[in-house]
Amino acid sequence: MRFAILIALCLLVSVRGHPYYRDYIPNGYAVFNPCGANFWEAVGHYDPLHHTVLKNPFGVALSNNGHVWNEALCRLDSDGDGKTNGEELGDPNCTFTPGSTPSQASSGHPGICEPIGSGACADLAFRCGCHGHACIG
């Protein structure tokens, strides 16, 4: 029985997200949600509220960059919608450092191509409400 409880606790810890990563990016606690009125909490994931295993393109880029916001990550267009991560997160000049205030509010999501289903995003399989499971191609 103790072993089963230990395994359950380990699994719980392993699937929890890392909300403190939002401290490392501009407007991390106020990222635009293209699917609704609330902010996108799990910025690096396809599900806005849950830190699922499936990362969106920004989550992959942030992870590959050592979870560091710098000019290279800022200038990247992770989601392919024609706006840089910095533009979407309110740091168009790439000057944000953790603990500072970004120069602007977030205006887009760096890991979700928007407007969803139109223009550059038309060929992507992401749909709001699918939470990153069967709706991603």
Side-chain angles (χ1 to χ4, degrees):
M1 180 66 163
R2 288 184 187 170
F3 184 71
I5 292 172
L6 180 62
I7 294 294
L9 287 174
C10 289
L11 288 173
L12 179 64
V13 170
S14 69
V15 298
R16 281 186 47 218
H18 301 289
Y20 54 85
Y21 287 150
R22 295 186 291 168
D23 293 334
Y24 305 163
I25 61 173
N27 292 304
Y29 291 86
V31 174
F32 173 78
N33 182 343
C35 296
N38 297 325
F39 294 119
W40 199 281
E41 291 183 21
V43 181
H45 299 271
Y46 280 110
D47 187 322
L49 299 175
H50 303 286
H51 304 275
T52 60
V53 175
L54 188 59
K55 293 180 182 175
N56 62 41
F58 177 74
V60 171
L62 181 64
S63 180
N64 289 343
N65 203 48
H67 301 101
V68 173
W69 181 258
N70 58 20
E71 188 164 355
L73 184 60
C74 178
R75 301 256 179 241
L76 187 64
D77 177 12
S78 294
D79 56 13
D81 62 5
K83 295 194 308 189
T84 69
N85 296 334
E87 289 171 318
E88 294 189 283
L89 291 175
D91 185 28
N93 298 317
C94 303
T95 58
F96 173 81
T97 57
S100 68
T101 301
S103 61
Q104 301 172 9
S106 72
S107 63
H109 192 295
I112 305 294
C113 189
E114 75 246 294
I116 295 169
S118 64
C121 309
D123 293 334
L124 300 179
F126 177 82
R127 292 191 317 266
C128 294
C130 293
H131 304 297
H133 299 289
C135 300
I136 310 298

